[in-house]
């Protein structure tokens, strides 16, 4: 959804109705996660994807229909053994889509949501997908305000509380309520789509490997910062894919920077005077991934220095060093791929084993 929002905002501002299809539930080996979106606008222009190509043709027609009728629809697509040529997912999974018309009249809060997402301000959009409430009704929930209604004050109150909880976790999914927000009932189904700010990727060391890591980090959706104490190397021109380039001592910059459980920290300086104080700070704060570049000899020396600095074995166990998976990488770009692969594997519990040597679901439930 983030990728297509600029186009949707243009259509919305121009008062052009468009059909918006959003994945609200998946099962088995579905190709896209909840929140993936596709829209059809003026001149039958289509943007986004909900299945990687399997059902986009059918969704295109559905989006046109909901614009014409003004009525939202909930549709499920799966694989049909009886008719292999029927519209469905050849991967064997199943996806459920909410397809709804979007105009300034039907969704007056859309512009504010789009602006918040673009500015990195957290917001959750709650949309009714099933039940006695109006399908397609939306409620936008920020940490300190709300906009819109799902049709019932009690439902709005209950969903607002849950939406803020989901937003704090960056979570997206379905919730069930009674007609007036009653707990432990399932008359009304609501899709909570959280737009938390992008996770951060902090890259320390303004070297060619850092430029490659910054590029792939930006591609993966991270907000990238490159930091180095040497102003001659830490320049925006050398790092066009970084959101920001900071000239400062790495440990000092990190001390004044917020991190959370989604933050990725890559230490590429491989110089003890930078590495040790930086890692001493990094390993004692929240982060999803902390990796450091260097040879095995550099790693052994660094570990000894960190032990001498007072870090515990538990704290040191968080360090991924030497950084990256064993891909046989040589060039900066290849090394960046190996680092990104390790970050993704750690995030989702992957093993790094070739899929040809594994069994079971390719996309396990999370």
């Amino acid at each position: 959804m983030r990728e297509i929002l600029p186009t949707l905002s243009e259509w919305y501002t121009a008062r052009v109705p468009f059909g918006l299809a959003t994945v609200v539930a998946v099962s088995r080996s579905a190709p896209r996660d909840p929140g993936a979106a596709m829209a059809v606008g003026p001149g039958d222009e289509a943007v986004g994807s909900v299945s990687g190509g399997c059902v986009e043709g059918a969704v295109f027609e559905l989006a046109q229909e909901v614009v014409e009728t003004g009525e939202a629809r909930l549709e499920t697509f799966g694989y049909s053994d009886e008719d292999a040529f029927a519209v469905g997912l050849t991967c064997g999974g199943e996806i459920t889509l909410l397809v709804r018309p979007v105009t300034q009249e039907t969704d007056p809060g859309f512009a504010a949501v789009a602006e918040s997402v673009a500015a990195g301000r957290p917001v959750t959009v709650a949309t009714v997908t099933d039940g006695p409430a109006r399908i397609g009704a939306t409620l936008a929930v920020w940490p300190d305000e709300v906009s819109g209604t799902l049709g019932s004050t009690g439902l709005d109150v209950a969903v607002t509380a849950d939406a803020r909880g989901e937003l704090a976790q960056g979570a997206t999914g379905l919730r069930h309520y009674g007609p007036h927000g009653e707990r432990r009932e399932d008359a009304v189904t609501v899709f909570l789509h959280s737009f938390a700010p992008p996770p951060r990727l902090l890259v320390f060391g303004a070297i060619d490997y850092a430029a490659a890591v910054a590029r792939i980090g930006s591609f993966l959706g991270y907000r990238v910062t490159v930091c180095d104490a040497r102003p001659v190397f830490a320049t925006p021109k050398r790092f066009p894919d970084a959101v920001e380039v900071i000239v400062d001592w790495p440990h000092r910059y990190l001390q004044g920077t917020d991190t959370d459980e989604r933050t990725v920290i890559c230490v590429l300086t491989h110089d003890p005077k930078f590495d040790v104080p930086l890692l001493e700070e990094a390993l004692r704060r929240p982060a999803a991934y902390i990796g450091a570049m260097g040879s095995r000899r550099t790693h052994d020396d660094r570990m000894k220095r960190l032990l001498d600095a007072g870090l515990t074995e538990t704290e040191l166990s968080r360090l991924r060093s030497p950084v990256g998976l064993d891909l046989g990488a040589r060039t900066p770009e290849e090394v960046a791929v190996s680092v990104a692969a390790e970050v993704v594997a750690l995030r989702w519990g992957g093993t790094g084993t070739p899929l040809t040597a594994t069994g079971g679901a390719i996309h396990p439930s999370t």
Side-chain angles (χ1 to χ4, degrees):
M1 178 68 87
R2 290 181 188 274
E3 289 75 15
I4 67 175
L5 266 177
T7 298
L8 304 191
S9 295
E10 291 179 6
W11 295 345
Y12 187 86
T13 301
R15 305 187 71 87
V16 177
F18 58 89
L20 177 61
T22 305
V23 178
V24 298
V26 302
S27 67
R28 300 190 299 278
S29 296
R32 301 297 302 274
D33 290 328
M38 172 181 167
V40 178
D44 290 338
E45 179 183 359
V47 293
S49 171
V50 292
S51 74
C54 298
V55 301
E56 264 68 7
V59 175
F60 180 88
E61 295 179 358
L62 281 172
Q64 291 177 315
E65 289 177 15
V66 300
V67 171
E68 292 175 3
T69 64
E71 298 292 331
R73 292 177 57 176
L74 191 68
E75 296 285 343
T76 296
F77 295 93
Y79 180 73
S80 171
D81 291 323
E82 290 74 23
D83 184 359
F85 291 98
V87 173
L89 304 180
T90 56
C91 61
E94 184 176 276
I95 60 173
T96 299
L97 305 175
L98 175 67
V99 190
R100 64 186 181 94
V102 178
T103 67
Q104 292 190 11
E105 291 72 33
T106 61
D107 194 348
F110 185 88
V113 169
E115 290 173 4
S116 293
V117 174
R121 184 186 178 200
V123 60
T124 294
V125 178
T127 309
V128 175
T129 64
D130 196 15
R134 181 175 66 85
I135 297 178
T138 61
L139 176 73
V141 181
W142 290 267
D144 54 356
E145 64 177 304
V146 297
S147 175
T149 180
L150 302 181
S152 160
T153 300
L155 184 59
D156 288 348
V157 170
V159 170
T160 295
D162 288 346
R164 285 178 174 150
E166 297 291 87
L167 187 57
Q169 301 296 322
T172 287
L174 294 172
R175 289 292 188 99
H176 304 279
Y177 306 88
H180 301 287
E182 298 90 342
R183 305 290 181 175
R184 300 182 181 179
E185 295 189 25
D186 59 2
V188 180
T189 303
V190 178
F191 179 61
L192 301 181
H193 192 177
S194 296
F195 293 93
R200 299 196 67 189
L201 168 59
L202 306 178
V203 183
F204 295 96
I207 60 176
D208 48 0
Y209 291 94
V213 169
R215 283 196 296 274
I216 201 166
S218 179
F219 174 75
L220 290 175
Y222 286 88
R223 175 190 167 199
V224 182
T225 298
V226 175
C227 175
D228 196 296
R230 302 165 297 178
V232 67
F233 296 115
T235 65
K237 184 176 181 179
R238 294 189 69 218
F239 298 94
D241 294 283
V243 170
E244 55 186 352
V245 179
I246 303 295
V247 179
D248 199 351
W249 279 80
H251 74 281
R252 185 168 60 192
Y253 172 73
L254 187 58
Q255 286 171 349
T257 299
D258 291 332
T259 62
D260 60 27
E261 288 72 14
R262 301 184 302 154
T263 303
V264 171
I265 299 174
C266 288
V267 179
L268 309 181
T269 50
H270 51 79
D271 183 331
K273 69 176 178 289
F274 295 121
D275 287 1
V276 174
L278 172 58
L279 288 170
E280 186 178 356
E281 173 67 27
L283 292 168
R284 288 172 170 160
R285 59 164 53 226
Y289 175 94
I290 303 170
M293 176 177 281
S295 66
R296 299 195 186 278
R297 178 180 297 178
T298 298
H299 168 74
D300 292 340
D301 176 71
R302 187 163 48 211
M303 292 293 280
K304 182 179 183 302
R305 292 173 183 267
L306 290 169
L307 280 170
D308 291 342
L311 272 78
T312 66
E313 292 288 352
T314 299
E315 290 168 336
L316 290 174
S317 68
R318 301 178 62 204
L319 179 60
R320 318 288 290 195
S321 174
V323 70
L325 296 184
D326 180 12
L327 304 182
R330 294 291 186 273
T331 67
E333 290 73 20
E334 290 172 346
V335 170
V337 170
S338 79
V339 173
E342 186 174 40
V343 170
V344 172
L346 187 63
R347 178 182 181 185
W348 297 111
T351 64
T353 304
L355 290 173
T356 53
T358 65
I362 295 176
H363 306 290
S365 300
T366 55

